[in-house]
Amino acid sequence: MQEQISSLREEITAQVSGAENMAALEEIRVATLGKKGSVSGLMKGLGGMSPDERKVMGPALNGLKTEVADILAARKEVLEEVELEARLASERVDVTLPVQEHAAGSVHPISQVMDEIAEIFAGLGFDVAEGPDIETDFNNFTALNIPEEHPARQDHDTFYLKPDAEGNRKVLRTHTSPVQVRTMMSKEPPIRIIAPGRTYRSDSDATHTPMFHQVEGLVIDKDTHLGHLKGTLEAFLKAFFEVDAVTLRLRPSYFPFTEPSMEVDVQCSFDGGTVKIGDGNDWLEILGSGMVNTKVLEACGLDPNVYQGFAFGCGIDRLAMLKYGMNDLRAFFDADLRWLKHYGFQALDLPTIAGGMSR
Ligand code: DAH
């Protein structure tokens, strides 16, 4: 019996060290330690032995079992390492190779427009600020002068999250304006930021999707005024629509977070069925803006006797549709490769003020 054990040990050791891959190793494991395996078979024999025999053979067989398990585990570790090395070698990508045109993906129009906006505002000295998609009720509403009972809350078709233990409900931010709050609370003026990002409202048709994109702008300093707002928006829209001049119309409006508030229209023509920004006899509403309400400054810890400024908020999807001539917003989020191929942008053509926004 002892002999049988030692020859089995030798045999298994040789088999294990000869196993070239995980599948072969697994076969050996089943053939030895598996229910019907050779080692298990010997263990079953213990039952028919005399107590004296069992006293010797029990520990010997258990030793064999442990030993076999150990060498299987050791070999497994080696083989795993080998397989990983092989995979790393086969999946290696040389990132220094030139991009292959036919294999390259394309930049989504939304990303393109966000890059264009960031580039234009960078030229005007704005930083890009960010905030989370899941916001507190305070940042999304209350700090922006939209308290609990305010009717403006109804306009937002808000997606609420489940309340936490204290009963506070977070929201999917309904606009990018909470980034204003975050910025004013964390930075000393002068502040000059844009905040592009995703926003959410429970609304869906050809021009509304439950997730959409906005860009927020905020400038706070000691003597920032409406003239600065108008000049900034003119410079932005001129650069964005790549025209020599734009004419803006500022219409009085209402937003809880600005006072006074205005909606901004840009002069355009719809001749020939397409929108042309820059001249013409029509007006296109393009964004909301105003002077930051003193209540908002106060809620964010800024002294309204010292600081003032302007803010604006603009739908990015709409800007993209206007500039690149798409008419159904829903197609933006269908991930249809044919659409992306048609409307997408080349990955290496980054928009620059000097080189052009869209080539
Ligand atoms: N937050 C507004 C919305 O989503 C847009 C907006 C209007 C933002 C005026 C502003 C602003 O900063 O001043 O409808």
Side-chain angles (χ1 to χ4, degrees):
M1 190 73 179
Q2 291 283 15
E3 255 166 51
Q4 210 179 340
I5 292 182
S6 60
S7 78
L8 190 57
R9 174 186 295 119
E10 257 168 54
E11 194 186 316
I12 296 173
T13 310
Q15 276 175 357
V16 169
S17 54
E20 293 295 348
N21 53 49
M22 299 291 273
L25 195 65
E26 177 60 10
E27 261 177 46
I28 299 171
R29 190 193 64 79
V30 174
T32 54
L33 302 181
K35 256 194 194 146
K36 294 186 179 148
S38 49
V39 177
S40 314
L42 287 181
M43 304 278 291
K44 274 186 201 133
L46 282 173
M49 289 178 191
S50 68
D52 281 346
E53 266 179 318
R54 208 178 301 140
K55 223 180 249 169
V56 183
M57 293 312 292
L61 280 173
N62 267 323
L64 175 66
K65 193 176 153 193
T66 318
E67 224 174 301
V68 170
D70 286 349
I71 57 172
L72 281 169
R75 184 71 188 157
K76 186 169 172 219
E77 215 169 280
V78 173
L79 288 178
E80 271 171 353
E81 183 73 14
V82 170
E83 285 189 5
L84 179 65
E85 288 298 328
R87 224 180 88 198
L88 287 177
S90 77
E91 289 177 5
R92 196 182 139 122
V93 176
D94 184 349
V95 294
T96 65
L97 286 176
V99 174
Q100 288 175 303
E101 283 291 329
H102 64 273
S106 61
V107 175
H108 194 282
I110 299 286
S111 306
Q112 168 75 17
V113 166
M114 283 189 176
D115 287 348
E116 292 178 14
I117 295 172
E119 173 64 17
I120 296 166
F121 278 101
L124 299 174
F126 284 64
D127 289 334
V128 172
E130 282 182 315
D133 292 12
I134 298 176
E135 256 302 359
T136 60
D137 190 283
F138 179 82
N139 287 346
N140 194 81
F141 292 123
T142 312
L144 290 164
N145 192 31
I146 315 175
E148 197 78 60
E149 332 67 42
H150 200 289
R153 286 208 178 197
Q154 256 86 68
D155 303 338
H156 280 224
D157 301 313
T158 312
F159 287 113
Y160 285 95
L161 274 70
K162 288 208 182 97
D164 65 13
E166 280 95 57
N168 297 317
R169 284 188 304 180
K170 287 204 169 160
V171 301
L172 291 183
R173 66 176 177 190
T174 57
H175 48 181
T176 41
S177 305
V179 185
Q180 284 188 33
V181 176
R182 289 176 172 271
T183 307
M184 284 188 268
M185 285 185 148
S186 62
K187 286 208 171 59
E188 284 284 309
I191 290 170
R192 224 182 284 160
I193 57 119
I194 54 161
R198 295 181 175 196
T199 45
Y200 305 82
R201 290 183 199 185
S202 179
D203 201 358
S204 186
D205 58 36
T207 52
H208 297 88
T209 46
M211 188 279 293
F212 57 106
H213 300 82
Q214 286 190 341
V215 60
E216 192 79 11
L218 176 71
V219 173
I220 303 283
D221 207 338
K222 291 190 172 141
D223 45 24
T224 304
H225 55 70
L226 264 185
H228 295 132
L229 168 63
K230 188 158 186 252
T232 304
L233 293 178
E234 269 168 5
F236 162 56
L237 293 169
K238 217 166 70 175
F240 180 75
F241 287 109
E242 302 178 58
V243 291
D244 292 332
V246 288
T247 308
L248 299 187
R249 184 172 73 178
L250 273 56
R251 258 182 309 113
S253 182
Y254 172 76
F255 299 105
F257 28 87
T258 42
E259 183 56 41
S261 305
M262 53 233 112
E263 247 147 341
V264 177
D265 302 338
V266 61
Q267 196 162 38
C268 70
S269 96
F270 292 106
D271 292 349
T274 53
V275 203
K276 230 177 102 239
I277 308 282
D279 60 327
N281 300 315
D282 280 297
W283 297 97
L284 198 66
E285 184 189 320
I286 210 138
L287 51 85
S289 63
M291 297 302 291
V292 177
N293 194 315
T294 50
K295 287 193 186 153
V296 175
L297 293 172
E298 272 167 2
C300 298
L302 294 182
D303 183 351
N305 294 315
V306 180
Y307 294 115
Q308 59 183 39
F310 66 78
F312 60 88
C314 180
I316 291 181
D317 315 85
R318 188 165 144 78
L319 282 184
M321 289 166 85
L322 283 173
K323 181 163 176 182
Y324 295 114
M326 303 94 164
N327 49 27
D328 193 333
L329 177 60
R330 289 167 296 197
F332 277 61
F333 311 113
D334 281 346
D336 182 332
L337 286 178
R338 293 161 302 179
W339 188 91
L340 287 171
K341 199 162 175 222
H342 183 76
Y343 287 109
F345 291 81
Q346 292 209 353
L348 297 179
D349 282 344
L350 293 180
T352 63
I353 289 180
M357 284 292 126
S358 51
R359 275 170 288 179

